[in-house]
Amino acid sequence: MKILGTLLLLTTMTYATTAVAYWTGGMTQVRTVTGKLAWKCEYSYNGQKFYRIFENQCAQSIQVQ
């Protein structure tokens, strides 16, 4: 029972610190370490910029911590 309570607390803490960043429209084509072409997409949340690499297209939003 103690383990279950700890897992529940950790899960709650994770969700509490997760936020949604939205795509700024910024994107740059990059080459991955495997030699494939991909997109480096720029996201913004609360004045901070985040970057994610996507193979085909940028997602409209991403979860960040």
Short mmCIF file of all heavy atoms in Angstrom, two decimals:
data_model
loop_
_atom_site.label_atom_id
_atom_site.label_comp_id
_atom_site.label_asym_id
_atom_site.label_seq_id
_atom_site.Cartn_x
_atom_site.Cartn_y
_atom_site.Cartn_z
N MET A 1 0.82 -1.19 0.00
CA MET A 1 0.00 0.00 0.00
C MET A 1 0.87 1.26 0.00
O MET A 1 0.53 2.24 -0.63
CB MET A 1 -0.92 -0.04 1.23
CG MET A 1 -2.01 0.96 1.18
SD MET A 1 -3.09 0.59 -0.20
CE MET A 1 -4.47 1.53 0.22
N LYS A 2 1.99 1.21 0.69
CA LYS A 2 2.89 2.35 0.75
C LYS A 2 3.45 2.68 -0.63
O LYS A 2 3.56 3.84 -1.01
CB LYS A 2 4.01 2.08 1.74
CG LYS A 2 4.91 3.25 1.98
CD LYS A 2 5.94 2.92 3.05
CE LYS A 2 6.80 4.12 3.32
NZ LYS A 2 7.79 3.87 4.34
N ILE A 3 3.77 1.65 -1.40
CA ILE A 3 4.30 1.85 -2.76
C ILE A 3 3.24 2.50 -3.64
O ILE A 3 3.53 3.42 -4.40
CB ILE A 3 4.79 0.52 -3.35
CG1 ILE A 3 6.02 0.03 -2.58
CG2 ILE A 3 5.12 0.67 -4.83
CD1 ILE A 3 6.48 -1.34 -2.98
N LEU A 4 2.01 2.05 -3.54
CA LEU A 4 0.93 2.62 -4.33
C LEU A 4 0.75 4.10 -4.03
O LEU A 4 0.60 4.92 -4.92
CB LEU A 4 -0.38 1.86 -4.08
CG LEU A 4 -1.60 2.35 -4.85
CD1 LEU A 4 -1.35 2.25 -6.35
CD2 LEU A 4 -2.81 1.55 -4.47
N GLY A 5 0.82 4.47 -2.75
CA GLY A 5 0.69 5.87 -2.36
C GLY A 5 1.82 6.72 -2.92
O GLY A 5 1.63 7.84 -3.38
N THR A 6 3.04 6.16 -2.91
CA THR A 6 4.20 6.87 -3.46
C THR A 6 4.05 7.07 -4.96
O THR A 6 4.33 8.15 -5.48
CB THR A 6 5.50 6.10 -3.15
OG1 THR A 6 5.61 5.93 -1.73
CG2 THR A 6 6.71 6.83 -3.67
N LEU A 7 3.61 6.04 -5.67
CA LEU A 7 3.40 6.15 -7.11
C LEU A 7 2.32 7.18 -7.43
O LEU A 7 2.46 7.97 -8.36
CB LEU A 7 3.03 4.79 -7.70
CG LEU A 7 4.15 3.77 -7.79
CD1 LEU A 7 3.62 2.44 -8.28
CD2 LEU A 7 5.26 4.26 -8.70
N LEU A 8 1.26 7.19 -6.67
CA LEU A 8 0.19 8.16 -6.88
C LEU A 8 0.71 9.58 -6.66
O LEU A 8 0.43 10.48 -7.44
CB LEU A 8 -0.97 7.87 -5.93
CG LEU A 8 -2.19 8.78 -6.06
CD1 LEU A 8 -2.76 8.69 -7.47
CD2 LEU A 8 -3.25 8.38 -5.05
N LEU A 9 1.52 9.78 -5.63
CA LEU A 9 2.10 11.10 -5.36
C LEU A 9 3.01 11.53 -6.49
O LEU A 9 2.95 12.67 -6.96
CB LEU A 9 2.87 11.08 -4.04
CG LEU A 9 3.59 12.37 -3.66
CD1 LEU A 9 2.57 13.49 -3.48
CD2 LEU A 9 4.40 12.18 -2.40
N LEU A 10 3.87 10.64 -6.97
CA LEU A 10 4.77 10.96 -8.07
C LEU A 10 4.00 11.29 -9.34
O LEU A 10 4.34 12.22 -10.07
CB LEU A 10 5.75 9.81 -8.33
CG LEU A 10 6.81 9.61 -7.28
CD1 LEU A 10 7.61 8.34 -7.57
CD2 LEU A 10 7.73 10.80 -7.18
N THR A 11 2.95 10.55 -9.61
CA THR A 11 2.12 10.82 -10.80
C THR A 11 1.46 12.18 -10.67
O THR A 11 1.44 12.96 -11.62
CB THR A 11 1.04 9.72 -10.95
OG1 THR A 11 1.69 8.46 -11.04
CG2 THR A 11 0.20 9.95 -12.19
N THR A 12 0.94 12.50 -9.51
CA THR A 12 0.30 13.80 -9.29
C THR A 12 1.30 14.92 -9.45
O THR A 12 1.02 15.94 -10.07
CB THR A 12 -0.33 13.84 -7.89
OG1 THR A 12 -1.24 12.75 -7.77
CG2 THR A 12 -1.07 15.15 -7.67
N MET A 13 2.50 14.75 -8.94
CA MET A 13 3.52 15.77 -9.05
C MET A 13 3.92 15.98 -10.50
O MET A 13 4.12 17.10 -10.94
CB MET A 13 4.75 15.38 -8.23
CG MET A 13 4.52 15.49 -6.73
SD MET A 13 5.85 14.80 -5.73
CE MET A 13 7.29 15.52 -6.43
N THR A 14 3.99 14.92 -11.28
CA THR A 14 4.34 15.03 -12.69
C THR A 14 3.29 15.84 -13.44
O THR A 14 3.62 16.73 -14.21
CB THR A 14 4.48 13.63 -13.32
OG1 THR A 14 5.51 12.93 -12.62
CG2 THR A 14 4.85 13.73 -14.79
N TYR A 15 2.03 15.54 -13.23
CA TYR A 15 0.98 16.26 -13.93
C TYR A 15 0.90 17.71 -13.49
O TYR A 15 0.60 18.59 -14.26
CB TYR A 15 -0.38 15.58 -13.74
CG TYR A 15 -0.52 14.32 -14.53
CD1 TYR A 15 -0.75 13.10 -13.92
CD2 TYR A 15 -0.40 14.35 -15.91
CE1 TYR A 15 -0.86 11.94 -14.66
CE2 TYR A 15 -0.51 13.18 -16.66
CZ TYR A 15 -0.75 11.99 -16.03
OH TYR A 15 -0.85 10.85 -16.76
N ALA A 16 1.23 17.99 -12.25
CA ALA A 16 1.15 19.35 -11.75
C ALA A 16 2.20 20.26 -12.40
O ALA A 16 2.00 21.45 -12.50
CB ALA A 16 1.31 19.37 -10.23
N THR A 17 3.31 19.68 -12.83
CA THR A 17 4.38 20.50 -13.40
C THR A 17 4.40 20.46 -14.93
O THR A 17 5.28 21.02 -15.54
CB THR A 17 5.76 20.04 -12.88
OG1 THR A 17 5.96 18.67 -13.24
CG2 THR A 17 5.85 20.21 -11.37
N THR A 18 3.45 19.79 -15.53
CA THR A 18 3.38 19.71 -16.99
C THR A 18 2.57 20.88 -17.53
O THR A 18 1.52 21.21 -17.01
CB THR A 18 2.75 18.38 -17.44
OG1 THR A 18 3.54 17.32 -16.92
CG2 THR A 18 2.70 18.27 -18.94
N ALA A 19 3.09 21.51 -18.59
CA ALA A 19 2.40 22.63 -19.22
C ALA A 19 2.38 22.40 -20.73
O ALA A 19 3.09 21.55 -21.25
CB ALA A 19 3.13 23.93 -18.90
N VAL A 20 1.58 23.18 -21.42
CA VAL A 20 1.47 23.06 -22.88
C VAL A 20 2.15 24.26 -23.53
O VAL A 20 1.82 25.41 -23.25
CB VAL A 20 -0.01 22.98 -23.32
CG1 VAL A 20 -0.12 22.93 -24.83
CG2 VAL A 20 -0.68 21.77 -22.69
N ALA A 21 3.11 23.97 -24.39
CA ALA A 21 3.78 25.01 -25.18
C ALA A 21 3.21 24.97 -26.59
O ALA A 21 2.93 23.88 -27.13
CB ALA A 21 5.29 24.77 -25.21
N TYR A 22 3.04 26.12 -27.19
CA TYR A 22 2.44 26.20 -28.52
C TYR A 22 3.48 26.57 -29.57
O TYR A 22 4.39 27.36 -29.32
CB TYR A 22 1.29 27.22 -28.52
CG TYR A 22 0.15 26.73 -27.67
CD1 TYR A 22 0.03 27.11 -26.34
CD2 TYR A 22 -0.79 25.84 -28.19
CE1 TYR A 22 -1.00 26.63 -25.55
CE2 TYR A 22 -1.81 25.36 -27.41
CZ TYR A 22 -1.92 25.75 -26.10
OH TYR A 22 -2.94 25.26 -25.32
N TRP A 23 3.31 26.01 -30.75
CA TRP A 23 4.22 26.23 -31.87
C TRP A 23 4.20 27.70 -32.27
O TRP A 23 3.14 28.31 -32.43
CB TRP A 23 3.80 25.35 -33.03
CG TRP A 23 4.67 25.41 -34.24
CD1 TRP A 23 6.03 25.45 -34.27
CD2 TRP A 23 4.25 25.41 -35.60
NE1 TRP A 23 6.48 25.47 -35.56
CE2 TRP A 23 5.40 25.45 -36.40
CE3 TRP A 23 3.01 25.38 -36.21
CZ2 TRP A 23 5.35 25.47 -37.79
CZ3 TRP A 23 2.96 25.38 -37.59
CH2 TRP A 23 4.12 25.43 -38.36
N THR A 24 5.37 28.29 -32.44
CA THR A 24 5.48 29.70 -32.80
C THR A 24 5.44 29.91 -34.32
O THR A 24 5.38 31.04 -34.78
CB THR A 24 6.81 30.29 -32.29
OG1 THR A 24 7.89 29.63 -32.97
CG2 THR A 24 6.95 30.13 -30.79
N GLY A 25 5.50 28.83 -35.06
CA GLY A 25 5.58 28.93 -36.52
C GLY A 25 7.02 28.81 -36.98
O GLY A 25 7.29 28.68 -38.17
N GLY A 26 7.96 28.85 -36.02
CA GLY A 26 9.37 28.73 -36.36
C GLY A 26 9.75 27.28 -36.64
O GLY A 26 9.40 26.39 -35.87
N MET A 27 10.41 27.06 -37.75
CA MET A 27 10.86 25.71 -38.09
C MET A 27 12.09 25.80 -38.99
O MET A 27 12.20 26.69 -39.82
CB MET A 27 9.75 24.92 -38.76
CG MET A 27 9.18 25.56 -40.00
SD MET A 27 7.64 24.83 -40.57
CE MET A 27 8.17 23.29 -41.24
N THR A 28 13.01 24.89 -38.78
CA THR A 28 14.23 24.83 -39.56
C THR A 28 14.46 23.38 -39.97
O THR A 28 14.34 22.48 -39.13
CB THR A 28 15.44 25.31 -38.72
OG1 THR A 28 15.15 26.60 -38.21
CG2 THR A 28 16.70 25.34 -39.55
N GLN A 29 14.80 23.16 -41.22
CA GLN A 29 15.09 21.80 -41.64
C GLN A 29 16.50 21.44 -41.18
O GLN A 29 17.44 22.22 -41.35
CB GLN A 29 14.97 21.66 -43.15
CG GLN A 29 14.91 20.21 -43.59
CD GLN A 29 14.48 20.06 -45.04
OE1 GLN A 29 14.88 20.83 -45.89
NE2 GLN A 29 13.67 19.06 -45.31
N VAL A 30 16.63 20.27 -40.55
CA VAL A 30 17.90 19.81 -40.03
C VAL A 30 18.16 18.37 -40.50
O VAL A 30 17.25 17.69 -40.96
CB VAL A 30 17.93 19.85 -38.49
CG1 VAL A 30 17.80 21.28 -37.98
CG2 VAL A 30 16.83 18.99 -37.89
N ARG A 31 19.39 17.95 -40.37
CA ARG A 31 19.74 16.57 -40.68
C ARG A 31 20.04 15.87 -39.36
O ARG A 31 20.82 16.36 -38.55
CB ARG A 31 20.95 16.51 -41.62
CG ARG A 31 21.21 15.11 -42.14
CD ARG A 31 22.20 15.09 -43.29
NE ARG A 31 21.79 15.85 -44.45
CZ ARG A 31 20.99 15.39 -45.43
NH1 ARG A 31 20.49 14.18 -45.35
NH2 ARG A 31 20.71 16.15 -46.46
N THR A 32 19.43 14.71 -39.15
CA THR A 32 19.62 13.97 -37.91
C THR A 32 20.94 13.22 -37.94
O THR A 32 21.61 13.15 -38.98
CB THR A 32 18.47 12.96 -37.68
OG1 THR A 32 18.56 11.93 -38.68
CG2 THR A 32 17.11 13.64 -37.75
N VAL A 33 21.31 12.64 -36.82
CA VAL A 33 22.55 11.87 -36.75
C VAL A 33 22.51 10.63 -37.63
O VAL A 33 23.56 10.09 -38.00
CB VAL A 33 22.90 11.47 -35.29
CG1 VAL A 33 23.18 12.69 -34.45
CG2 VAL A 33 21.80 10.63 -34.68
N THR A 34 21.32 10.19 -38.01
CA THR A 34 21.20 9.04 -38.91
C THR A 34 21.18 9.46 -40.38
O THR A 34 21.04 8.63 -41.26
CB THR A 34 19.92 8.24 -38.59
OG1 THR A 34 18.78 9.09 -38.76
CG2 THR A 34 19.96 7.67 -37.18
N GLY A 35 21.29 10.76 -40.62
CA GLY A 35 21.34 11.26 -41.99
C GLY A 35 19.99 11.62 -42.60
O GLY A 35 19.92 12.09 -43.73
N LYS A 36 18.91 11.45 -41.85
CA LYS A 36 17.58 11.80 -42.36
C LYS A 36 17.30 13.28 -42.19
O LYS A 36 17.84 13.93 -41.31
CB LYS A 36 16.50 11.01 -41.61
CG LYS A 36 16.54 9.53 -41.87
CD LYS A 36 15.41 8.85 -41.13
CE LYS A 36 15.41 7.37 -41.42
NZ LYS A 36 14.31 6.69 -40.74
N LEU A 37 16.43 13.81 -43.05
CA LEU A 37 15.98 15.20 -42.90
C LEU A 37 14.81 15.24 -41.93
O LEU A 37 13.96 14.35 -41.93
CB LEU A 37 15.56 15.78 -44.26
CG LEU A 37 16.70 16.02 -45.24
CD1 LEU A 37 16.15 16.50 -46.57
CD2 LEU A 37 17.69 17.02 -44.69
N ALA A 38 14.78 16.28 -41.10
CA ALA A 38 13.71 16.44 -40.12
C ALA A 38 13.50 17.93 -39.89
O ALA A 38 14.21 18.77 -40.45
CB ALA A 38 14.09 15.74 -38.81
N TRP A 39 12.50 18.26 -39.08
CA TRP A 39 12.19 19.65 -38.77
C TRP A 39 12.48 19.95 -37.30
O TRP A 39 12.02 19.23 -36.42
CB TRP A 39 10.72 19.97 -39.06
CG TRP A 39 10.42 19.89 -40.51
CD1 TRP A 39 9.82 18.86 -41.17
CD2 TRP A 39 10.73 20.87 -41.50
NE1 TRP A 39 9.73 19.15 -42.51
CE2 TRP A 39 10.29 20.38 -42.74
CE3 TRP A 39 11.34 22.12 -41.45
CZ2 TRP A 39 10.43 21.09 -43.92
CZ3 TRP A 39 11.48 22.82 -42.62
CH2 TRP A 39 11.02 22.31 -43.85
N LYS A 40 13.21 21.01 -37.04
CA LYS A 40 13.42 21.51 -35.68
C LYS A 40 12.37 22.59 -35.47
O LYS A 40 12.39 23.63 -36.12
CB LYS A 40 14.83 22.10 -35.54
CG LYS A 40 15.10 22.67 -34.17
CD LYS A 40 16.51 23.25 -34.10
CE LYS A 40 16.78 23.90 -32.76
NZ LYS A 40 18.13 24.51 -32.73
N CYS A 41 11.43 22.32 -34.58
CA CYS A 41 10.27 23.20 -34.39
C CYS A 41 10.41 23.99 -33.09
O CYS A 41 10.84 23.45 -32.08
CB CYS A 41 9.01 22.36 -34.35
SG CYS A 41 8.82 21.29 -35.81
N GLU A 42 10.02 25.26 -33.15
CA GLU A 42 10.13 26.15 -32.00
C GLU A 42 8.78 26.31 -31.32
O GLU A 42 7.77 26.55 -31.98
CB GLU A 42 10.64 27.52 -32.44
CG GLU A 42 10.79 28.50 -31.29
CD GLU A 42 11.24 29.86 -31.78
OE1 GLU A 42 10.35 30.63 -32.24
OE2 GLU A 42 12.44 30.14 -31.72
N TYR A 43 8.79 26.18 -29.98
CA TYR A 43 7.58 26.31 -29.18
C TYR A 43 7.82 27.34 -28.08
O TYR A 43 8.95 27.58 -27.68
CB TYR A 43 7.21 24.95 -28.55
CG TYR A 43 6.83 23.95 -29.61
CD1 TYR A 43 7.80 23.19 -30.24
CD2 TYR A 43 5.51 23.78 -30.00
CE1 TYR A 43 7.47 22.29 -31.24
CE2 TYR A 43 5.17 22.88 -30.99
CZ TYR A 43 6.15 22.14 -31.61
OH TYR A 43 5.82 21.27 -32.60
N SER A 44 6.74 27.92 -27.60
CA SER A 44 6.84 28.94 -26.55
C SER A 44 5.84 28.67 -25.45
O SER A 44 4.68 28.32 -25.71
CB SER A 44 6.58 30.32 -27.15
OG SER A 44 6.66 31.31 -26.15
N TYR A 45 6.32 28.82 -24.22
CA TYR A 45 5.44 28.75 -23.05
C TYR A 45 5.98 29.71 -22.00
O TYR A 45 7.14 29.63 -21.61
CB TYR A 45 5.37 27.34 -22.46
CG TYR A 45 4.64 27.31 -21.14
CD1 TYR A 45 3.26 27.42 -21.10
CD2 TYR A 45 5.34 27.23 -19.95
CE1 TYR A 45 2.58 27.43 -19.90
CE2 TYR A 45 4.67 27.24 -18.74
CZ TYR A 45 3.29 27.34 -18.72
OH TYR A 45 2.62 27.37 -17.52
N ASN A 46 5.16 30.64 -21.58
CA ASN A 46 5.50 31.57 -20.49
C ASN A 46 6.84 32.28 -20.74
O ASN A 46 7.66 32.43 -19.85
CB ASN A 46 5.53 30.80 -19.17
CG ASN A 46 5.40 31.71 -17.97
OD1 ASN A 46 4.90 32.83 -18.08
ND2 ASN A 46 5.86 31.25 -16.83
N GLY A 47 7.06 32.69 -21.97
CA GLY A 47 8.27 33.42 -22.31
C GLY A 47 9.50 32.55 -22.56
O GLY A 47 10.54 33.06 -22.93
N GLN A 48 9.38 31.25 -22.37
CA GLN A 48 10.50 30.33 -22.62
C GLN A 48 10.32 29.66 -23.97
O GLN A 48 9.20 29.37 -24.38
CB GLN A 48 10.58 29.24 -21.55
CG GLN A 48 11.01 29.72 -20.20
CD GLN A 48 11.15 28.55 -19.25
OE1 GLN A 48 10.21 27.80 -19.06
NE2 GLN A 48 12.33 28.41 -18.67
N LYS A 49 11.43 29.42 -24.64
CA LYS A 49 11.40 28.73 -25.93
C LYS A 49 11.84 27.28 -25.74
O LYS A 49 12.75 27.00 -24.96
CB LYS A 49 12.31 29.42 -26.91
CG LYS A 49 11.89 30.86 -27.15
CD LYS A 49 12.05 31.24 -28.57
CE LYS A 49 11.76 32.71 -28.68
NZ LYS A 49 10.68 33.07 -29.41
N PHE A 50 11.17 26.40 -26.44
CA PHE A 50 11.48 24.97 -26.43
C PHE A 50 11.61 24.51 -27.86
O PHE A 50 10.95 25.06 -28.77
CB PHE A 50 10.35 24.19 -25.74
CG PHE A 50 10.16 24.55 -24.30
CD1 PHE A 50 9.31 25.59 -23.94
CD2 PHE A 50 10.82 23.86 -23.31
CE1 PHE A 50 9.14 25.93 -22.61
CE2 PHE A 50 10.64 24.19 -21.97
CZ PHE A 50 9.80 25.23 -21.63
N TYR A 51 12.42 23.50 -28.10
CA TYR A 51 12.62 22.98 -29.45
C TYR A 51 12.42 21.48 -29.44
O TYR A 51 12.87 20.79 -28.52
CB TYR A 51 14.02 23.32 -29.96
CG TYR A 51 14.25 24.81 -30.07
CD1 TYR A 51 14.75 25.54 -29.00
CD2 TYR A 51 13.91 25.48 -31.23
CE1 TYR A 51 14.92 26.91 -29.09
CE2 TYR A 51 14.08 26.85 -31.33
CZ TYR A 51 14.58 27.57 -30.26
OH TYR A 51 14.74 28.92 -30.36
N ARG A 52 11.76 20.98 -30.48
CA ARG A 52 11.57 19.54 -30.65
C ARG A 52 11.84 19.21 -32.12
O ARG A 52 11.59 20.03 -33.01
CB ARG A 52 10.15 19.10 -30.30
CG ARG A 52 9.76 19.28 -28.86
CD ARG A 52 10.49 18.31 -27.94
NE ARG A 52 9.99 18.38 -26.59
CZ ARG A 52 10.42 19.21 -25.66
NH1 ARG A 52 11.35 20.10 -25.95
NH2 ARG A 52 9.91 19.19 -24.44
N ILE A 53 12.32 18.02 -32.35
CA ILE A 53 12.60 17.55 -33.70
C ILE A 53 11.48 16.60 -34.13
O ILE A 53 11.14 15.67 -33.39
CB ILE A 53 13.96 16.80 -33.77
CG1 ILE A 53 15.09 17.67 -33.24
CG2 ILE A 53 14.23 16.30 -35.19
CD1 ILE A 53 15.41 18.89 -34.08
N PHE A 54 10.92 16.85 -35.30
CA PHE A 54 9.87 15.99 -35.86
C PHE A 54 10.27 15.56 -37.26
O PHE A 54 10.87 16.32 -38.02
CB PHE A 54 8.53 16.73 -35.92
CG PHE A 54 7.92 16.98 -34.57
CD1 PHE A 54 8.10 18.19 -33.93
CD2 PHE A 54 7.19 16.00 -33.93
CE1 PHE A 54 7.55 18.44 -32.69
CE2 PHE A 54 6.63 16.22 -32.68
CZ PHE A 54 6.82 17.45 -32.06
N GLU A 55 9.90 14.36 -37.62
CA GLU A 55 10.26 13.81 -38.92
C GLU A 55 9.49 14.45 -40.06
O GLU A 55 10.05 14.75 -41.11
CB GLU A 55 10.01 12.30 -38.91
CG GLU A 55 10.60 11.58 -40.08
CD GLU A 55 10.47 10.08 -39.95
OE1 GLU A 55 10.65 9.56 -38.83
OE2 GLU A 55 10.17 9.44 -40.96
N ASN A 56 8.18 14.68 -39.87
CA ASN A 56 7.35 15.15 -40.99
C ASN A 56 6.88 16.59 -40.88
O ASN A 56 6.99 17.35 -41.81
CB ASN A 56 6.14 14.23 -41.17
CG ASN A 56 6.56 12.83 -41.55
OD1 ASN A 56 7.44 12.67 -42.38
ND2 ASN A 56 5.97 11.83 -40.93
N GLN A 57 6.30 16.95 -39.75
CA GLN A 57 5.76 18.29 -39.58
C GLN A 57 5.71 18.65 -38.11
O GLN A 57 5.77 17.77 -37.25
CB GLN A 57 4.36 18.41 -40.18
CG GLN A 57 3.33 17.53 -39.53
CD GLN A 57 2.02 17.54 -40.25
OE1 GLN A 57 1.96 17.70 -41.47
NE2 GLN A 57 0.94 17.37 -39.54
N CYS A 58 5.60 19.93 -37.82
CA CYS A 58 5.55 20.41 -36.44
C CYS A 58 4.16 20.18 -35.85
O CYS A 58 3.15 20.45 -36.51
CB CYS A 58 5.88 21.89 -36.38
SG CYS A 58 7.55 22.29 -36.97
N ALA A 59 4.13 19.71 -34.61
CA ALA A 59 2.86 19.59 -33.90
C ALA A 59 2.41 20.98 -33.46
O ALA A 59 3.24 21.87 -33.25
CB ALA A 59 3.04 18.69 -32.68
N GLN A 60 1.13 21.19 -33.34
CA GLN A 60 0.60 22.49 -32.94
C GLN A 60 0.95 22.82 -31.49
O GLN A 60 1.10 23.99 -31.12
CB GLN A 60 -0.91 22.55 -33.14
CG GLN A 60 -1.33 22.53 -34.60
CD GLN A 60 -0.81 23.74 -35.35
OE1 GLN A 60 -0.93 24.87 -34.90
NE2 GLN A 60 -0.19 23.51 -36.50
N SER A 61 1.08 21.79 -30.65
CA SER A 61 1.43 22.00 -29.24
C SER A 61 2.19 20.77 -28.73
O SER A 61 2.05 19.68 -29.28
CB SER A 61 0.18 22.27 -28.40
OG SER A 61 -0.68 21.14 -28.43
N ILE A 62 2.95 20.99 -27.66
CA ILE A 62 3.69 19.91 -27.02
C ILE A 62 3.58 20.09 -25.50
O ILE A 62 3.32 21.19 -25.03
CB ILE A 62 5.17 19.88 -27.42
CG1 ILE A 62 5.87 21.22 -27.08
CG2 ILE A 62 5.33 19.52 -28.90
CD1 ILE A 62 7.36 21.20 -27.21
N GLN A 63 3.80 19.04 -24.75
CA GLN A 63 3.85 19.14 -23.30
C GLN A 63 5.29 19.37 -22.88
O GLN A 63 6.21 18.73 -23.39
CB GLN A 63 3.29 17.88 -22.65
CG GLN A 63 1.80 17.77 -22.79
CD GLN A 63 1.22 16.68 -21.92
OE1 GLN A 63 1.93 15.85 -21.38
NE2 GLN A 63 -0.09 16.70 -21.78
N VAL A 64 5.49 20.30 -21.95
CA VAL A 64 6.81 20.60 -21.43
C VAL A 64 6.76 20.63 -19.91
O VAL A 64 5.69 20.75 -19.32
CB VAL A 64 7.32 21.97 -21.96
CG1 VAL A 64 7.52 21.93 -23.46
CG2 VAL A 64 6.38 23.10 -21.59
N GLN A 65 7.92 20.51 -19.30
CA GLN A 65 7.99 20.55 -17.84
C GLN A 65 8.91 21.65 -17.40
O GLN A 65 9.83 21.99 -18.04
CB GLN A 65 8.49 19.23 -17.29
CG GLN A 65 7.50 18.13 -17.51
CD GLN A 65 7.96 16.82 -16.89
OE1 GLN A 65 9.12 16.67 -16.51
NE2 GLN A 65 7.06 15.88 -16.80
#
